[in-house]
Amino acid sequence: MEYYNKTLCVTFDELTSGATPVIKADTLRQNMKRGNIQCARQGKGEGNYALYVYASLPMKYRMMFEAKYGKPADVLKAQELKEWVKEDGDARAFYEAFEYDLNGVQTRLSQKLIDEYTSNASVLKMLWERMNELTSTTHALGGGRRGDLWDIVFTQSEKLREVTSHTLPKNLARLKEKMSQFKKNGYESLISGKIGNKNTLKITEDAGRRLIALKRSRVPVLTDSQIFETFNQECEAKGWKPLKSVRSLKTWLESAAIEPLWHDAVYGEMSAHQKFDRRHKTQLPSMRDALWYGDGTKINLYYRDDEGKVRTTSVYEVIDAATEVFLGFCISDNEDYEAQYMAYRMAIQVSGHKPYEIVHDNQGGHKKLQNQQFFDKLCHIHRTTAPYNGASKTIESVFGRFQMQVLHKDWRFTGQNITAKKDSSRPNMEFIEANKDKLYTYDELKAAYLKARTEWNEMAHPATGEQRIKMYEQSENPETPVVTTSNMIDMFWVQCDRMSTFTSSGIEITVKGNKRVYEVMTEAGVPDIEWRRKHTYERFVVKYDPYDFGSIRLYRKDKAGELRFERVAEPYMVIHRAIQEQTEGEATFIRQQQKATEESRIERQVAAKAIEYAEGVAPEQHGLSTPDLKGVTADVQRQIDRRTRKYSKEPEELSLGRVTKKVSKMDWSDLEEQPIVVDFKKVAGKL
């Protein structure tokens, strides 16, 4: 309510605001159109508000206005007083920033006290201005009684009480004292002595340190009641005030500023870290394959083993973070590198794309995969989660909901983690034992878990309401390349920890305690004898596919440590030793290999003898003989001798003694029939 152009007016808000308005907004507009209520000023333009002539209001609305706000004269008077007392902004800022010590904890004023002290300071400031005005006027008029001035100020204070709701003294003497303190000490003088008065504190700084030390004590470990008793026994000697109750002690110990000082000693540092340290607020990716999580967990279903015992097992899962789709898994009792490998391989095969990022924990199996640069081949970037920080793993939340929404429906449910507090999160062991014979077998457990995963993938995602698997299939990520066959070999063929030697019995590798032997073939079922001749007892780096042991790949390692592909090796040919058990194919294979072995021995001997003769070190060149091969036929030996020229005539012709002996037995008639010409220089040169 205010005067506008010397006319008493009311505002739009005064008429229409509140739970019981004087008049509804629509009714007000209709009365204006009909001319029943006169608008003095329209609420157009910045800072303007609509005003309505009070006298034009119908009587029933004026009566409702006075019932709600009071008579217009009183409203205006109070309004004038309120406008006269302007809020002291500096006072509010002071009280909002004010802190005091409450049992060792820095505490701010409540909003109620801030408003009260701000109002009191604003009124006192106005009262001092009024006193100064009255004093100046009195002096100008020739003086007057000081007491009369204080009476005027006191009356003014009481009038303002109704308007501002200040809590200044209602007694003149006490008001004068309060005004004097305010003038001398400022805003702080209005704060009650009960607030921040250290003399009233029961727990001083030294006493608080002792209480914290007792709470942290591990030798002995004390309960809150024992801390209370111990502290009160020490109070008199140290000049502390005794505590009145265990409840007040617990309230102090559990206050926000005190609990971090002892929580780690009682519950562990990781508990304190998770409870008090700041956590990141993150947003999950919007595209598939942007982030995969890999982690192992227990399969929360009981099964019976071969001995009829109730057991559980574990699973390693790979999950797409954006859609919560389960991509790959491997059921295994141990979260070893093979289970992890199998799960990631399945995930890649299901996805058909390499993920951009993989997040996993730092278990031993992951370390072995990292040492073989497995994750470097699999994704653009990979990292480990913070240890002992389950809250940071999105996959932990997915596992929890999967257990409660899907696995929980199966009566074989094992329950969630043992720390779960809900009864519904625990198994009914009596029922499990009573129906032990109807539990899944291990193979049935695998089938049931696969069915549960499928159900989860086909359920609606909580954020979008769409099926998870459809979200995944319909999403695209341009930064994740399609996986090719060569990619699969590069990513998922595992390298043996140690190099292996190719011997006459092939090359042997051991995977999870199982020995496997391989050899190089020219074609299916035909060993490569020529390759064997050049590489037997050479060492190779071996890579194998854990999904398919039908072949391995052999690599040479150069001086720089780089791998160079050599050949693919296949399982070593195994035949029956007993002729009775040999198949027709095996008998043929044996004959072929015998012949190939003979040829190999022949070629090896011929090549070696050629070198001997060329270098002049053959035993025959020195009147000695090379031993015949053992275990071969005479035909094989003759072939070797023929190809090494052992029985050729050339050695006789090159012998100087034999040539001269032959010449000495000839006569002139022989020369006429067949002249003999001997080039001794040539013979000597060859010898």
Side-chain angles (χ1 to χ4, degrees):
M1 177 171 277
E2 61 184 79
Y3 280 99
Y4 179 73
N5 292 335
K6 299 181 180 181
T7 303
L8 183 62
C9 299
V10 292
T11 66
F12 180 82
D13 287 341
E14 288 173 331
L15 291 174
T16 62
S17 64
T20 56
V22 174
I23 184 173
K24 293 182 179 180
D26 291 340
T27 305
L28 176 60
R29 294 187 184 95
Q30 291 175 2
N31 276 273
M32 283 177 53
K33 290 180 180 180
R34 295 170 184 168
N36 296 335
I37 297 177
Q38 182 180 351
C39 181
R41 184 181 68 189
Q42 294 183 345
K44 296 180 179 180
E46 186 176 357
N48 284 332
Y49 48 90
L51 291 174
Y52 303 92
V53 177
Y54 181 75
S56 69
L57 294 176
M59 181 57 68
K60 66 175 182 178
Y61 296 126
R62 276 186 281 174
M63 292 176 64
M64 291 174 65
F65 182 89
E66 292 181 8
K68 184 175 182 179
Y69 297 106
K71 293 184 179 181
D74 295 336
V75 173
L76 288 172
K77 186 176 181 180
Q79 209 167 51
E80 288 177 1
L81 288 172
K82 193 170 184 178
E83 289 178 357
W84 188 20
V85 182
K86 295 181 180 179
E87 182 178 289
D88 187 348
D90 292 338
R92 181 170 290 279
F94 175 85
Y95 295 122
E96 286 178 345
F98 181 79
E99 292 183 349
Y100 62 97
D101 194 326
L102 179 62
N103 291 345
V105 181
Q106 289 299 110
T107 307
R108 292 181 183 268
L109 296 170
S110 67
Q111 189 60 47
K112 181 180 178 181
L113 286 177
I114 291 173
D115 293 339
E116 177 185 341
Y117 292 156
T118 300
S119 177
N120 289 351
S122 301
V123 170
L124 285 173
K125 190 174 183 181
M126 187 278 297
L127 292 178
W128 270 116
E129 291 176 357
R130 182 60 173 157
M131 173 60 77
N132 292 335
E133 290 176 3
L134 292 172
T135 302
S136 299
T137 303
T138 302
H139 289 165
L141 295 175
R145 292 197 314 164
R146 182 74 172 176
D148 295 339
L149 301 182
W150 278 112
D151 289 338
I152 296 172
V153 170
F154 179 72
T155 302
Q156 190 71 53
S157 175
E158 290 304 306
K159 290 181 179 179
L160 291 173
R161 189 183 302 279
E162 300 176 4
V163 177
T164 62
S165 301
H166 69 72
T167 59
L168 293 173
K170 297 180 180 181
N171 177 278
L172 176 57
R174 291 184 57 208
L175 178 63
K176 290 171 63 175
E177 182 182 355
K178 180 65 69 175
M179 290 180 64
S180 178
Q181 292 174 353
F182 181 74
K183 186 175 183 180
K184 182 179 180 180
N185 300 321
Y187 299 130
E188 194 168 356
S189 66
L190 297 179
I191 298 175
S192 171
K194 297 179 181 180
I195 296 177
N197 185 352
K198 293 185 178 180
N199 292 329
T200 64
L201 292 178
K202 294 181 176 64
I203 303 176
T204 63
E205 183 176 350
D206 290 340
R209 291 170 62 88
R210 180 56 180 165
L211 286 171
I212 293 171
L214 291 173
K215 185 69 175 177
R216 292 185 63 89
S217 174
R218 299 296 89 193
V219 183
V221 177
L222 302 174
T223 65
D224 290 342
S225 297
Q226 291 169 334
I227 292 173
F228 176 81
E229 294 173 0
T230 302
F231 178 82
N232 281 352
Q233 290 172 2
E234 299 174 352
C235 282
E236 186 176 353
K238 297 187 178 182
W240 299 332
K241 290 186 177 182
L243 299 173
K244 291 184 178 180
S245 67
V246 176
R247 182 177 179 181
S248 62
L249 170 64
K250 292 181 66 175
T251 300
W252 183 80
L253 287 173
E254 293 172 3
S255 61
I258 300 301
E259 185 174 354
L261 300 177
W262 57 260
H263 187 98
D264 63 307
V266 177
Y267 302 111
E269 197 283 329
M270 281 307 303
S271 174
H273 163 61
Q274 293 172 1
K275 183 171 183 178
F276 299 114
D277 291 337
R278 183 184 182 277
R279 295 180 183 177
H280 289 298
K281 187 176 181 62
T282 59
Q283 184 175 355
L284 290 175
S286 58
M287 296 182 293
R288 59 172 276 180
D289 304 326
L291 172 61
W292 286 5
Y293 280 105
D295 198 7
T297 187
K298 182 178 72 173
I299 292 183
N300 295 79
L301 295 174
Y302 286 117
Y303 76 97
R304 70 179 188 277
D305 62 13
D306 295 337
E307 298 177 358
K309 295 180 180 179
V310 177
R311 291 195 57 192
T312 62
T313 187
S314 299
V315 63
Y316 191 90
E317 280 282 4
V318 178
I319 298 176
D320 177 64
T323 61
E324 297 184 348
V325 166
F326 288 5
L327 293 172
F329 76 104
C330 180
I331 296 175
S332 172
D333 287 340
N334 302 311
E335 189 181 331
D336 56 13
Y337 79 96
E338 184 172 351
Q340 297 159 4
Y341 167 91
M342 296 295 188
Y344 284 109
R345 177 166 183 159
M346 179 179 177
I348 287 289
Q349 290 174 325
V350 170
S351 171
H353 292 259
K354 288 185 177 182
Y356 188 87
E357 178 184 3
I358 292 176
V359 174
H360 54 83
D361 59 21
N362 205 24
Q363 296 291 336
H366 286 118
K367 292 179 181 178
K368 182 168 183 178
L369 293 176
Q370 285 179 255
N371 291 339
Q372 297 185 3
Q373 288 80 47
F374 174 75
F375 291 110
D376 295 332
K377 300 173 184 177
L378 199 63
C379 59
H380 180 73
I381 185 173
H382 68 93
R383 57 185 173 86
T384 58
T385 55
Y388 311 107
N389 191 16
S392 68
K393 299 180 182 179
T394 300
I395 195 170
E396 296 285 359
S397 169
V398 173
F399 281 157
R401 286 183 283 123
F402 173 58
Q403 292 163 5
M404 292 307 298
Q405 296 174 19
V406 181
L407 297 182
H408 184 270
K409 294 185 290 185
D410 195 316
W411 63 267
R412 305 163 188 84
F413 184 57
T414 67
Q416 292 182 281
N417 192 288
I418 59 172
T419 59
K421 297 180 180 180
K422 293 182 179 180
D423 291 338
S424 60
S425 299
R426 302 176 184 180
N428 184 343
M429 292 308 301
E430 292 181 5
F431 190 84
I432 297 292
E433 289 293 335
N435 295 276
K436 186 190 300 185
D437 59 324
K438 297 180 180 63
L439 290 174
Y440 292 130
T441 63
Y442 189 68
D443 290 338
E444 290 172 343
L445 173 72
K446 291 182 176 180
Y449 184 76
L450 179 60
K451 182 179 178 181
R453 292 178 79 256
T454 303
E455 181 180 347
W456 169 267
N457 286 345
E458 293 176 352
M459 289 172 62
H461 190 282
T464 64
E466 297 182 37
Q467 281 188 333
R468 292 184 175 92
I469 190 64
K470 287 187 177 180
M471 283 180 61
Y472 186 80
E473 292 171 347
Q474 294 172 1
S475 177
E476 293 183 1
N477 190 335
E479 298 297 323
T480 55
V482 175
V483 176
T484 63
T485 303
S486 60
N487 292 148
M488 292 294 293
I489 294 174
D490 186 43
M491 290 187 294
F492 295 109
W493 282 58
V494 177
Q495 180 176 316
C496 291
D497 295 333
R498 298 179 181 179
M499 296 181 71
S500 300
T501 302
F502 191 98
T503 69
S504 58
S505 298
I507 190 166
E508 181 181 282
I509 63 172
T510 302
V511 180
K512 297 195 73 175
N514 295 323
K515 293 183 179 180
R516 302 174 189 273
V517 184
Y518 296 84
E519 62 180 327
V520 175
M521 306 285 188
T522 56
E523 56 183 280
V526 181
D528 192 333
I529 302 300
E530 179 64 22
W531 186 89
R532 275 175 162 272
R533 189 174 65 82
K534 296 178 181 178
H535 298 285
T536 300
Y537 289 99
E538 185 174 344
R539 290 170 59 80
F540 295 97
V541 173
V542 178
K543 290 186 178 182
Y544 63 91
D545 182 354
Y547 268 4
D548 182 7
F549 287 96
S551 65
I552 61 174
R553 296 167 71 86
L554 308 183
Y555 295 83
R556 291 180 178 178
K557 182 181 286 188
D558 61 20
K559 293 181 179 180
E562 296 293 330
L563 298 183
R564 300 181 183 276
F565 174 69
E566 174 62 28
R567 290 289 292 273
V568 171
E570 298 175 12
Y572 203 88
M573 294 290 295
V574 179
I575 57 177
H576 291 91
R577 180 171 297 185
I579 296 177
Q580 181 182 0
E581 296 179 352
Q582 290 177 359
T583 64
E584 182 178 350
E586 289 179 347
T588 303
F589 176 77
I590 292 173
R591 290 192 296 272
Q592 291 174 345
Q593 289 305 300
Q594 286 176 341
K595 183 178 180 181
T597 300
E598 289 178 353
E599 291 176 354
S600 179
R601 295 179 72 179
I602 292 171
E603 293 299 327
R604 187 165 58 247
Q605 285 293 313
V606 169
K609 297 302 291 184
I611 295 173
E612 286 182 352
Y613 278 116
E615 298 296 327
V617 297
E620 286 77 6
Q621 292 173 313
H622 298 276
L624 302 174
S625 300
T626 299
D628 292 342
L629 268 65
K630 301 295 187 292
V632 297
T633 63
D635 183 62
V636 170
Q637 187 62 52
R638 281 194 297 271
Q639 186 180 164
I640 294 173
D641 293 341
R642 184 181 69 253
R643 293 180 62 182
T644 56
R645 306 175 67 178
K646 182 175 181 180
Y647 292 109
S648 67
K649 298 299 182 181
E650 187 175 356
E652 292 184 5
E653 298 298 322
L654 293 177
S655 173
L656 179 61
R658 291 180 179 180
V659 171
T660 54
K661 183 69 173 178
K662 185 176 182 179
V663 172
S664 66
K665 292 180 178 181
M666 292 181 180
D667 56 22
W668 293 106
S669 62
D670 295 327
L671 292 176
E672 290 178 358
E673 296 177 2
Q674 185 177 355
I676 299 176
V677 180
V678 179
D679 187 344
F680 287 97
K681 290 184 178 180
K682 184 177 180 181
V683 171
K686 288 187 178 182
L687 292 174

